[in-house]
Amino acid sequence: MTNVAVINYGPRLDYPEMLPELVDKLHVFSHNELQNTEGLAHYEYIEDCESVPYAELMIRRLAREKPFTHVVTDNEYDLERAARIREDFGISGQSPASALSFRDKLVMKEVAGRTVATARFARLETIVDLTRFIERCAYPVVVKPVKQGGSRDIAVLRGDDDLLAFSRRPWRDDLMAEEFIEGPMYHVDAVLGDGYRFVASSRYLRSCLGVFSGQNNGSVQLHPQDPFAKRLEEFLDRTLEAFDTPEVSAYHMEVFHTPEDELVLCEIASRIGGDRIPLLTRATYGVDLHTTLLRQLCGLPVDPPPTAPPAEVHGSVSILPQGRPVRAPGRPPFEWVRHYEVNEQLAPGAVTLHSASHLCFVIVRGADTAEVERRLLQAETWLLANLEEATHQGS
């Protein structure tokens, strides 16, 4: 009999709606408080769930009373935790070794380098490892933790002054350095299962690292019939050939397109893309990535992926926190705005902490990538021009 343990991250996921056949068989441990938990076999909101082992301990204890048939998660930081539980209880799904290969960026590049190009990289034990890497590869170089996401704690060193400034930070034992690759970055988002294949490609509006210098972040979808989208899909397939992949999984891959027309892997994760990606995918293709993935992971049927080309594509841009108390304006007055949302949880005067930090965001539609990009820039200009100073928190 089916019995499912879930380590949940998404604050808006509705498990009774996504998995109605299994509501009374779902044991959900959540990073964020969920709105609809009625009928669940077990539900707990766990503060600091990412850093405390309580969820794993409770799943293991519950399994003594009634074994789990599935252990699933929507959170990258829980992939190894879930895989460990599955292996210990003989549950099918992604193995710990596979989870590690997608989580640890050093292991990831070592594996992916068997079939596709990656930036040169090195593990950093001491500052000397970093200086030697710079001598070998030259500036600029990127320094980042091997298991962090959302562009958190990344440093781009462009010269000796940056290196000296970096040397004043507390040293971490989980760092790597990699070569800085020039060129725009694309992301490929997929759900692959037994007899199921959905792949969509997009281009970031600007560098994800640009948020730390005040550039608003976003992305614009490529039409699936665009030859470059097909090229990116083939690159995804070549990349995955190097990995031990589970029967069902989602993937979020980031790829550089160099001035020499080469594709170079930045990173690939075995999870659904974050930020606005699920909203954009649903708007263009009618595919709910989370529902599609979770139902397959639990052995439930899903609608087949769309085969007809979409009538239009979409893109999004997020306005960064401004570092001062401001109010986001109302919905931009353009008929092509598909969705607009203000981050009501943002503290006044907040600053950018990661690539998904935002004051508000907008989703726009268009006939093709070029039209969507023009409209995104127009909406961005309007939003920035209509920000209002907020004199106090409640204003």
Side-chain angles (χ1 to χ4, degrees), residues 148-166:
Q148 193 61 276
S151 298
R152 295 171 178 85
D153 303 323
I154 289 183
V156 180
L157 310 182
R158 300 183 181 276
D160 282 344
D161 288 346
D162 289 341
L163 175 62
L164 285 171
F166 184 78

Side-chain angles (χ1 to χ4, degrees), residues 78-365:
D78 287 312
L79 288 176
E80 290 180 273
R81 187 184 297 186
R84 204 163 49 231
I85 299 170
R86 282 194 296 266
E87 182 178 62
D88 288 347
F89 289 110
I91 301 170
S92 63
Q94 186 175 43
S95 69
S98 173
L100 177 67
S101 70
F102 287 101
R103 281 282 297 123
D104 187 303
K105 301 177 196 306
L106 268 167
V107 178
M108 176 196 305
K109 284 187 165 57
E110 289 169 352
V111 173
R114 301 169 189 164
T115 56
V116 296
T118 71
R120 290 179 289 178
F121 61 94
R123 183 179 295 276
L124 303 180
E125 301 290 348
T126 70
I127 192 69
V128 175
D129 295 323
L130 177 55
T131 57
R132 286 175 178 165
F133 184 80
I134 293 169
E135 289 170 4
R136 186 165 73 253
C137 294
Y139 291 112
V141 300
V142 180
V143 181
K144 57 188 178 184
V146 299
K147 290 189 178 182
Q148 193 61 276
S151 298
R152 295 171 178 85
D153 303 323
I154 289 183
V156 180
L157 310 182
R158 300 183 181 276
D160 282 344
D161 288 346
D162 289 341
L163 175 62
L164 285 171
F166 184 78
S167 73
R168 292 182 178 275
R169 297 186 185 183
W171 187 261
R172 304 174 51 143
D173 60 4
D174 63 344
L175 294 177
M176 67 177 291
E178 64 182 36
E179 176 185 18
F180 186 90
I181 303 295
E182 297 286 351
M185 182 185 283
Y186 293 77
H187 60 89
V188 182
D189 298 278
V191 175
L192 305 179
D194 184 16
Y196 187 94
R197 179 181 179 88
F198 173 80
V199 181
S201 297
S202 307
R203 173 172 50 81
Y204 283 114
L205 197 60
R206 302 182 180 97
S207 166
C208 294
L209 299 180
V211 297
F212 299 110
S213 58
Q215 294 182 328
N216 297 311
N217 194 20
S219 67
V220 54
Q221 293 173 324
L222 305 186
H223 195 281
Q225 293 179 326
D226 184 326
F228 198 74
K230 296 182 183 298
R231 185 178 168 190
L232 288 166
E233 184 171 349
E234 292 168 357
F235 189 85
L236 170 68
D237 290 339
R238 290 205 313 276
T239 302
L240 291 177
E241 287 174 4
F243 288 82
D244 170 21
T245 56
E247 185 176 358
V248 176
S249 186
Y251 299 99
H252 175 66
M253 180 179 72
E254 296 178 332
V255 184
F256 295 107
H257 183 212
T258 72
E260 295 76 32
D261 193 32
E262 294 181 319
L263 296 181
V264 177
L265 179 72
C266 174
E267 296 174 3
I268 183 168
S270 57
R271 61 166 172 83
I272 290 170
D275 201 14
R276 316 296 156 226
I277 292 169
L279 289 175
L280 293 169
T281 303
R282 191 160 55 246
T284 297
Y285 299 99
V287 174
D288 185 299
L289 292 173
H290 286 101
T291 299
T292 300
L293 174 65
L294 287 168
R295 288 186 65 83
Q296 291 186 81
L297 287 173
C298 293
L300 298 175
V302 295
D303 293 332
T307 55
E312 56 190 9
V313 291
H314 293 79
S316 71
V317 65
S318 299
I319 304 302
L320 295 178
Q322 301 295 294
R324 67 184 195 279
V326 295
R327 253 197 317 260
R331 185 186 179 98
F334 309 114
E335 58 88 19
W336 35 258
V337 168
R338 180 71 181 262
H339 181 82
Y340 176 64
E341 190 169 313
V342 175
N343 183 1
E344 302 291 355
Q345 308 302 315
L346 191 71
V351 298
T352 300
L353 298 176
H354 50 79
S355 61
S357 297
H358 68 285
L359 172 68
C360 58
F361 73 88
V362 65
I363 290 177
V364 311
R365 58 179 175 83

